[in-house]
Amino acid sequence: MEQNLAAEIERSRFRVASTAHHKENARGIAKWHKHEEMELLYLLIKEPANVRTSEQNIGVSAYDVIVYPAGVYHWEKINWDLEQEYYGFKLKTDFVLPQTLRVSDRQGKLLWLFSNINQEYYSPDKNEALLEYYVKALLLNLTKMGTKKLSAEERIEQYIRANFRRSITVGDIVRAAHVSESYACRIAKKRWGVSLVQLVAQVRLEEAKRLLLASDHSIEEIARRCGFSSQKYFSRVFHKQLGQTPSQFRQGK
């Protein structure tokens, strides 16, 4: 089935009819609705939710993608009292999706594609061929990934890697992973050998090292881009972990 879908995707034509990236609460949406186009949603929601279609109920969580065939009635039963984030776009296409899909984004590939589709759609020099390329890449990845849900461990890592550039707390992480704080801490110790706070710092330092070697950004700018509250704090953490200052690391000392 995967090979057949992939072949059909390659043969089909796709045009993005609309796209959006929302961070909102108290969203006013019709409960049951449908679209003439295929609809794709990337959910960055803060707690487990449920999607209902005319054929099935589907449990969803953060980093899940939902794809609705054209004409299928559906309803996202999400807690809109919280500020929820999601990407979404609609496709005009001759491709026929046989049923609603839910796929978990295991490595962050799909989020990158959703973000690029949104950016390109609103670009002053929008390129329709590039948009179609992104859409086909997204759909082909969806057919390969299957429907297995992310584990709590994967959700912890996904959330940290997607959000380390801003201020995040242990509470944010455990809500995204849908587990208790004590369980999340045990996972972090078992899987990575560190606490959740230390894991966030490790991810930030990975990106900081990359930027120090691959860019000419100032130390202050790199600290900001990697989620550190100040250059002084960044330098202190960097020296403690690596035994040298960011400047010394950049110079290869």
Side-chain angles (χ1 to χ4, degrees):
M1 183 176 177
E2 176 187 318
Q3 290 181 338
N4 291 339
L5 280 177
E8 285 194 39
I9 289 167
E10 291 283 11
R11 287 195 296 266
S12 299
R13 299 301 307 272
F14 299 90
R15 185 173 69 81
V16 178
S18 65
T19 182
H21 175 208
H22 291 291
K23 292 182 181 180
E24 60 189 12
N25 53 10
R27 178 179 176 228
I29 185 169
K31 290 184 177 179
W32 281 102
H33 62 287
K34 66 177 181 177
H35 308 287
E36 293 180 1
E37 307 89 357
M38 183 189 300
E39 183 182 29
L40 295 90
L41 297 177
Y42 191 110
L43 303 174
L44 291 156
I45 53 179
K46 295 181 178 177
E47 59 182 32
N50 190 46
V51 163
R52 293 182 61 190
T53 72
S54 47
E55 299 98 10
Q56 58 189 316
N57 289 334
I58 305 169
V60 293
S61 300
Y63 311 109
D64 279 352
V65 174
I66 296 292
V67 188
Y68 299 113
V72 169
Y73 279 97
H74 56 275
W75 174 15
E76 296 93 26
K77 300 185 72 175
I78 293 170
N79 180 6
W80 295 109
D81 292 334
L82 300 174
E83 183 182 74
Q84 305 286 13
E85 181 179 1
Y86 64 95
Y87 284 89
F89 65 90
K90 298 183 182 71
L91 289 175
K92 289 186 178 295
T93 178
D94 54 350
F95 172 69
V96 178
L97 186 70
Q99 63 184 20
T100 300
L101 291 181
R102 181 210 54 81
V103 176
S104 293
D105 187 11
R106 312 200 79 80
Q107 297 161 340
K109 292 180 181 179
L110 304 181
L111 180 56
W112 186 88
L113 287 162
F114 268 87
S115 176
N116 276 273
I117 288 167
N118 189 65
Q119 290 179 30
E120 185 62 30
Y121 184 83
Y122 288 107
S123 171
D125 54 349
K126 177 173 65 175
N127 185 312
E128 293 289 351
L130 181 57
L131 270 175
E132 185 172 36
Y133 171 82
Y134 283 144
V135 167
K136 286 192 174 185
L138 175 57
L139 291 170
L140 288 168
N141 272 282
L142 283 169
T143 62
K144 287 173 58 179
M145 287 181 179
T147 59
K148 184 180 177 182
K149 279 186 169 291
L150 295 177
S151 65
E153 176 184 309
E154 289 172 315
R155 291 196 186 284
I156 289 170
E157 185 171 12
Q158 284 277 61
Y159 182 83
I160 292 172
R161 292 195 179 280
N163 294 280
F164 71 87
R165 292 178 178 83
R166 63 180 184 86
S167 175
I168 56 175
T169 66
V170 170
D172 294 329
I173 296 168
V174 300
R175 279 191 295 274
H178 314 313
V179 295
S180 69
E181 182 173 334
S182 60
Y183 184 57
C185 290
R186 289 199 301 273
I187 289 173
K189 280 289 186 182
K190 183 177 179 180
R191 171 65 178 83
W192 296 284
V194 295
S195 70
L196 289 171
V197 172
Q198 291 169 326
L199 181 59
V200 174
Q202 283 185 2
V203 172
R204 287 174 172 158
L205 287 172
E206 284 176 16
E207 177 65 4
K209 288 190 290 184
R210 187 188 71 80
L211 290 174
L212 284 165
L213 296 176
S215 78
D216 57 0
H217 297 313
S218 68
I219 305 297
E220 182 179 8
E221 174 66 9
I222 289 173
R224 185 190 66 78
R225 285 175 177 249
C226 295
F228 291 96
S229 56
S230 68
Q231 179 181 341
K232 183 177 180 181
Y233 178 61
F234 167 53
S235 296
R236 186 164 70 246
V237 172
F238 196 97
H239 189 272
K240 182 179 179 180
Q241 294 295 319
L242 298 169
Q244 56 187 334
T245 66
S247 296
Q248 288 170 335
F249 178 84
R250 173 173 263 173
Q251 293 162 11
K253 294 183 177 179

